[in-house]
Amino acid sequence: MRAMLRGRVIGMLVLVPLAAAAACGGDKAPLVSQDAAGDDHVQVAVSNYTNGPFGLPYLVGDKQGIFKKHRIVVDKVVGSAGGGTTVRLLLAGDLAFADSALAATVQAIQQGSKLKIVGGGTQDVNDACSVTRKDAPFKTIRDLAGHTIGFTNPGSASEAFIRLMIAKTGVDPKKFTLKATGGLMEGLALLAKGEVDVTSAIGPLCADPRFKTLDTSEYVPQFQQSVTVTSAKLAQDKPDLVKRFLAALQESNLWIKQNPDAAADLLAAHLEQPASALQPIVKKLTADPAHWDVALSAKPVNAALAGAALSGVLKPGQSLPWESILDQSFLPDGVAKVDPAQLSVGTGQ
């Protein structure tokens, strides 16, 4: 619980408007220092790092010495409440990398932020769920017509996913009311007070006995929740560091898949939760080989772009300058690259 509260505080402190941050973002070099051994020291931002399994590869990379193996020391992982808050942390702080929502990142770059998407993060929403009150009559998302659904923050993966999910139900979207809650824990508090009827949750929160989980996986099986982002300046000045960082991240992804129980134990200690509650969650996530992956694929990316269009972050049919948004040259050898020609901003229909 203390870890969750820390995540809430960090999320609430990041109040810099995204457009203002974009005006200067990337001009300042991220803080990267070298120690006597030649290892690069960096700080990173990860959405909801203190609330669930979202940033497990970063935890594994640190605890298993994988980052160290690639001559990188992650001095600090800064959690955020998701959406534009993670991007703001990258723009306003001395952070070298971020695991951030795709929609918020693309929006920031479109507004002038000097950022680069250099790899993937998570490609589905199997670590998340929608929860309602235990006594609520809702069984499916369709039942929520005429009711209020909470999401974390504007531009977040949760908003894009929910809007896309509603579009997939075939029910008139105008029959649903959406409300930004400010974060996962804040959303659960609003749910308890009756100010929203359903809200987003992740990891162990999906099994909280106070709530009832609604099954949403049938609507959007693939969805690019997050991407790996750095500044354009760091990508230009220290390309070898970016390559080593992505190689370490992918090695951490593979370690989780090969050692799900051990990964769950690390996550349990990090979240201050019993390992028995985390083991089934991690095993479920490793059943999908692409849940954590530095590669990007067209289907999950296009789903996230469609959700961003439904959120108003992008426009349906909008042509995006992928040459200035995405740079896959840093990916490890053998990792497949997505063809930007296959990426498009659809409507989710």
Side-chain angles (χ1 to χ4, degrees):
M1 183 60 69
R2 291 194 301 273
M4 292 179 182
L5 290 175
R6 287 196 297 271
R8 290 181 62 187
V9 171
I10 291 171
M12 289 186 286
L13 286 175
V14 184
L15 300 175
V16 181
L18 188 57
C24 60
D27 292 332
K28 178 182 177 182
L31 182 63
V32 178
S33 61
Q34 269 194 353
D35 59 26
D39 294 338
D40 290 306
H41 287 244
V42 300
Q43 298 184 39
V44 301
V46 179
S47 299
N48 295 306
Y49 184 66
T50 55
N51 292 328
F54 205 71
L56 182 55
Y58 293 86
L59 181 65
V60 165
D62 176 33
K63 299 300 184 181
Q64 292 302 120
I66 297 173
F67 281 119
K68 179 70 173 177
K69 173 184 172 182
H70 291 270
R71 295 182 290 112
I72 297 171
V73 177
V74 178
D75 288 326
K76 186 176 184 181
V77 178
V78 182
S80 82
T85 58
T86 311
V87 178
R88 293 183 196 113
L89 282 169
L90 182 60
L91 292 170
D94 293 322
L95 308 178
F97 299 94
D99 188 273
S100 175
L102 174 65
T105 303
V106 171
Q107 181 187 38
I109 295 173
Q110 290 290 89
Q111 291 177 346
S113 298
K114 298 178 178 64
L115 301 174
K116 287 285 185 181
I117 296 174
V118 292
T122 53
Q123 295 193 23
D124 60 41
V125 291
N126 289 338
D127 57 351
C129 62
S130 295
V131 295
T132 185
R133 292 177 295 278
K134 202 73 174 178
D135 60 350
F138 317 119
K139 294 182 179 180
T140 71
I141 294 300
R142 291 184 179 88
D143 298 333
L144 287 162
H147 298 275
T148 301
I149 304 175
F151 62 90
T152 58
N153 287 290
S156 65
S158 65
E159 180 189 11
F161 175 77
I162 287 169
R163 292 190 184 278
L164 182 59
M165 182 171 56
I166 289 172
K168 295 288 187 181
T169 66
V171 180
D172 184 355
K174 294 180 181 179
K175 294 184 178 181
F176 299 85
T177 300
L178 269 63
K179 180 183 179 69
T181 63
L184 290 169
M185 301 306 295
E186 292 85 349
L188 293 176
L190 293 179
L191 178 65
K193 292 191 293 185
E195 295 185 27
V196 297
D197 297 296
V198 164
T199 192
S200 301
I202 60 174
L205 294 174
C206 294
D208 192 308
R210 295 173 297 169
F211 309 114
K212 179 170 68 175
T213 301
L214 300 184
D215 185 11
T216 59
S217 59
E218 64 177 291
Y219 298 107
V220 189
Q222 292 181 295
F223 186 90
Q224 191 74 42
Q225 279 200 76
S226 68
V227 288
T228 305
V229 188
T230 190
S231 73
K233 184 170 181 58
L234 184 66
Q236 178 179 334
D237 294 349
K238 296 183 178 294
D240 180 64
L241 170 58
V242 180
K243 289 180 180 179
R244 284 185 283 117
F245 186 84
L246 289 173
L249 204 55
Q250 190 70 337
E251 188 173 334
S252 298
N253 293 337
L254 180 60
W255 191 93
I256 295 169
K257 295 167 189 174
Q258 294 174 339
N259 305 275
D261 286 341
D265 290 342
L266 290 174
L267 185 61
H270 174 64
L271 299 180
E272 301 176 0
Q273 297 276 336
S276 59
L278 275 301
Q279 286 175 352
I281 294 173
V282 175
K283 285 183 178 179
K284 174 185 176 183
L285 298 180
T286 55
D288 178 0
H291 177 75
W292 290 290
D293 204 319
V294 298
L296 292 163
S297 301
K299 284 186 177 180
V301 170
N302 285 339
L305 293 175
L310 293 167
S311 302
V313 174
L314 300 174
K315 296 179 180 179
Q318 177 180 351
S319 178
L320 294 174
W322 288 108
E323 66 281 357
S324 63
I325 296 174
L326 175 65
D327 188 342
Q328 300 177 89
S329 66
F330 306 103
L331 292 173
D333 293 340
V335 173
K337 298 177 181 179
V338 68
D339 181 359
Q342 297 180 347
L343 305 179
S344 60
V345 184
T347 61
Q349 300 297 324

